[in-house]
Amino acid sequence: MSEEERKQHVVLVHGACHGAWCWYKVKPQLEASGHRVTAVDLAASGIDMTRSITDISTCEQYSEPLMQLMTSLPDDEKVVLVGHSLGGLSLAMAMDMFPTKISVSVFVTAMMPDTKHSPSFVWDKDLELAKMLVRANPLIKKDMAERRSFSEEGYGSVTRIFIVCGKDLVSPEDYQRSMISNFPPKEVMEIKDADHMPMFSKPQQLCALLLEIANKYA
């Protein structure tokens, strides 16, 4: 396969209370390597002023911009999905609905649900994360608690990679590894000195891992 053929479309999904802007250090590095990069603003996030966070009551509504992007992709195009923190839940929704359009999904210290429990299971084990979600949007937390599990045929069929951030104080390493043990991904990578925001604190290391994943799995 030629170098040109290996260029991928990388889709970056932010966490709660952030926006596409949070990838500003990573996006140009990926583009400099020849990849096409789309950083998504989820509903009522970043520069999306079409509605306020109080208008969002379900994860479908919150994730709608990502779903619209996935719907717009040609049937023969596969993307590399990258989600940070609570953005992992939006990734899971996209994987469940569009498994054939995703070559690999990367969870960067992100919520990684399984295919057995309600999606809220991943944060019910961590009080601080639950508090964060309540502050961000209590209605979404309620919606997630009432949802059925993601499917093996959709979400479970997509290759998953988890990037552990060793100095994360929001999602501590033990909690990250509990999600990994609960629903093991294809590969676990690590940025030992990264905090909860590796796109700010360790952008070069994060970008290097994303490039490695794109070359290996996409």
Side-chain angles (χ1 to χ4, degrees):
M1 185 180 291
S2 71
E3 190 64 25
E4 184 61 33
E5 290 173 324
R6 295 190 68 87
K7 300 310 178 188
Q8 305 296 329
H9 183 184
V10 182
V11 177
L12 304 172
V13 182
H14 62 81
C17 306
H18 294 129
W21 59 268
C22 75
W23 300 101
Y24 77 97
K25 289 185 177 182
V26 173
K27 185 173 183 283
Q29 292 187 51
L30 294 173
E31 290 172 333
S33 295
H35 296 295
R36 177 185 168 201
V37 183
T38 301
V40 177
D41 271 324
L42 298 176
S45 302
I47 61 171
D48 177 13
M49 305 302 291
T50 58
R51 59 187 119 177
S52 72
I53 195 65
T54 56
D55 297 326
I56 307 298
S57 61
T58 68
C59 202
E60 279 90 350
Q61 292 173 330
Y62 181 60
S63 304
E64 185 179 348
L66 176 59
M67 302 306 146
Q68 289 176 341
L69 172 65
M70 297 301 297
T71 300
S72 73
L73 296 174
D75 290 339
D76 61 349
E77 180 177 349
K78 288 193 172 190
V79 300
V80 176
L81 268 187
V82 181
H84 170 250
S85 190
L86 288 167
L89 293 175
S90 296
L91 248 64
M93 291 191 67
M95 293 159 70
D96 217 29
M97 292 180 64
F98 305 99
T100 62
K101 290 187 174 184
I102 304 165
S103 55
V104 59
S105 287
V106 187
F107 291 76
V108 182
T109 187
M111 303 299 93
M112 187 171 67
D114 58 27
T115 55
K116 295 180 180 179
H117 303 88
S118 164
S120 65
F121 176 76
V122 292
W123 66 67
D124 287 341
K125 299 183 297 180
D126 190 287
L127 179 61
E128 290 307 312
L129 283 170
K131 288 179 180 177
M132 178 195 292
L133 188 59
V134 167
R135 287 195 298 271
N137 192 320
L139 295 177
I140 289 181
K141 184 178 187 298
K142 181 176 183 293
D143 175 61
M144 285 288 97
E146 295 172 352
R147 288 180 62 94
R148 62 171 177 80
S149 63
F150 293 109
S151 70
E152 280 285 353
E153 299 77 18
Y155 170 63
S157 69
V158 180
T159 299
R160 288 172 293 112
I161 310 297
F162 196 101
I163 296 179
V164 172
C165 293
K167 300 296 185 183
D168 190 338
L169 300 181
V170 176
S171 299
E173 183 174 353
D174 286 350
Y175 173 68
Q176 296 174 62
R177 295 199 180 276
S178 74
M179 289 190 290
I180 291 166
S181 298
N182 178 60
F183 194 49
K186 179 77 171 180
E187 185 174 351
V188 177
M189 298 178 168
E190 184 175 3
I191 307 176
K192 291 185 180 297
D193 295 328
D195 58 19
H196 188 62
M197 301 295 291
M199 64 282 284
F200 296 158
S201 62
K202 300 292 179 181
Q204 275 119 355
Q205 291 92 322
L206 177 58
C207 186
L209 291 184
L210 295 179
L211 291 173
E212 180 181 343
I213 290 166
N215 288 332
K216 186 174 181 180
Y217 294 102

